[in-house]
Amino acid sequence: MNKKGKIYVVGIGPGKKADMTFKAYEAMEKSDVIVGYKTYTDLIKEYFPNTEIKSSSMMKEVDRCIEVLELAKSGKNVALISSGDAGVYGMAGIMYEVIDENDDVEIEVIPGITATNAAAAIVGAPIMHDYVTISLSNLLTDWELIKKRIELAAQGDFIISLYNPKSKGRTTQIVEAQKIMLKHKSKDTPVAIVRNAGRETEEYEITTLEKMLDSEINMLTIVLIGNSNTFVKKGKIVTPRGYEKKYEY
C-alpha cells in the first residue's frame, strides 16, 4: 500500500519571512510541493528555490484543493498556502469540504498573521476591544446579508474591519457600508485605510468615517473603523480597554 502524504494548510501572513511563524515556514520547508494562488506563491518562492511550486489563478480554489488532495494521495507532502490566516477567508475550509470521509490523508491547519492583525499593528492599537471582520465581497455571500451584518455590528459599537472593500468592478458596496455605519457611529470615528499591509508597497492613512471614501481603497486594502471610544494619539489609532478607569497606578 502506498504511503499517503500530508496536507499542510498554511497561513503565510503578509508574505515576508519575518512575518511567518516558525511552524508555517517549517511546513513549507518539509513539503514536496507548495500550491497556491499566484500572487501568494510569488511572495514565498524566493525562500524555497528547490521546491516544486504550483500556481493558479483566482477563482480556482476548489480545483486547487482537488489537486492538492491528489498530490497527497500519491504520497507527497503538500503545503496549500493562503495569505493571512488560512482559516480566515482562506483555504482551510475549502480543503476540509473537498476531502472525503474515506480519504486517508492527514490535514494540518497552520495559522498565520491575519490581514486585520497586520493592518492594526501598523496604525497603532485599534482592535484592543471587541471587533468584527466583514468581507464586502458578494461573490459568495448575498449582499443583503452582508448589509445586515454591517448594520448589527455598527449598532453594537463594534470595531469593524472590512476585507475586500472595493474592486474595479465592485465600487458601490463600500459607499453603502459607510452610509450604514454613519447611522450608528459618529462621523468623526477614527478610520484607518491600510494598503498592502506587511508588503514592500505598504502605506496607510488615518481619517474619519465621514471622509474615508476620499482615500484610495482597493482589494488590497483593509479598512478599520473604530468604536465610540476610539481616538487618535501621536498619529496612531487607539481603542482603550478601560484600564485607567479601573486601576490606579
Side-chain angles (χ1 to χ4, degrees):
M1 186 175 179
N2 290 333
K3 182 179 180 296
K4 295 290 190 295
K6 180 175 178 177
I7 298 170
Y8 300 98
V9 190
V10 183
I12 64 170
K16 288 182 181 178
K17 184 178 179 181
D19 292 324
M20 297 177 196
T21 66
F22 288 113
K23 193 172 183 180
Y25 190 85
E26 287 170 1
M28 289 184 281
E29 197 170 39
K30 60 189 176 186
S31 292
D32 301 301
V33 188
I34 297 172
V35 178
Y37 172 45
K38 187 177 186 302
T39 298
Y40 307 148
T41 56
D42 284 347
L43 291 171
I44 58 89
K45 64 184 181 183
E46 66 177 290
Y47 306 128
F48 307 100
N50 299 317
T51 303
E52 181 182 1
I53 295 178
K54 291 180 174 288
S55 305
S56 57
S57 60
M58 192 179 284
M59 306 301 292
K60 297 289 184 181
E61 289 84 358
V62 174
D63 292 342
R64 209 175 298 149
C65 289
I66 293 171
E67 179 181 24
V68 166
L69 181 57
E70 292 306 312
L71 287 167
K73 284 181 178 180
S74 74
K76 294 188 175 183
N77 292 326
V78 189
L80 174 61
I81 65 172
S82 292
S83 68
D85 184 288
V88 180
Y89 306 123
M91 298 299 295
I94 309 171
M95 193 67 247
Y96 276 111
E97 288 182 63
V98 165
I99 196 167
D100 189 87
E101 289 281 356
N102 299 316
D103 286 325
D104 186 24
V105 173
E106 182 184 356
I107 299 175
E108 182 179 355
V109 179
I110 299 174
I113 297 172
T114 68
T116 294
N117 292 142
I122 292 163
V123 299
I127 56 172
M128 283 291 294
H129 218 300
D130 300 335
Y131 71 95
V132 298
T133 61
I134 300 175
S135 171
L136 296 193
S137 173
N138 61 338
L139 291 174
L140 301 174
T141 306
D142 183 72
W143 177 238
E144 291 303 313
L145 178 56
I146 295 172
K147 287 198 296 183
K148 181 179 179 180
R149 290 171 175 169
I150 297 167
E151 182 98 41
L152 293 173
Q155 279 183 8
D157 197 28
F158 283 90
I159 302 147
I160 300 175
S161 175
L162 297 179
Y163 281 63
N164 307 311
K166 185 178 180 182
S167 68
K168 290 180 181 178
R170 185 171 45 78
T171 60
T172 61
Q173 283 86 346
I174 187 68
V175 178
E176 286 192 66
Q178 182 202 37
K179 288 179 180 177
I180 293 168
M181 290 185 289
L182 279 169
K183 287 162 50 180
H184 306 286
K185 292 177 176 285
S186 165
K187 63 183 177 62
D188 296 319
T189 301
V191 171
I193 310 290
V194 186
R195 294 179 290 273
N196 299 296
R199 299 178 186 174
E200 296 296 334
T201 53
E202 170 189 296
E203 53 186 359
Y204 72 90
E205 298 169 54
I206 305 296
T207 183
T208 64
L209 182 56
E210 181 184 37
K211 297 178 180 178
M212 61 181 257
L213 298 183
D214 295 338
S215 301
E216 180 189 347
I217 298 174
N218 55 39
M219 281 291 283
L220 298 176
T221 303
I222 292 291
V223 182
L224 293 168
I225 302 100
N227 68 16
S228 59
N229 293 312
T230 303
F231 60 88
V232 178
K233 185 176 185 179
K234 297 179 73 69
K236 299 289 185 175
I237 295 182
V238 181
T239 300
R241 282 294 307 278
Y243 291 117
E244 291 184 4
K245 296 175 184 176
K246 289 190 174 184
Y247 303 107
E248 293 182 4
Y249 296 94

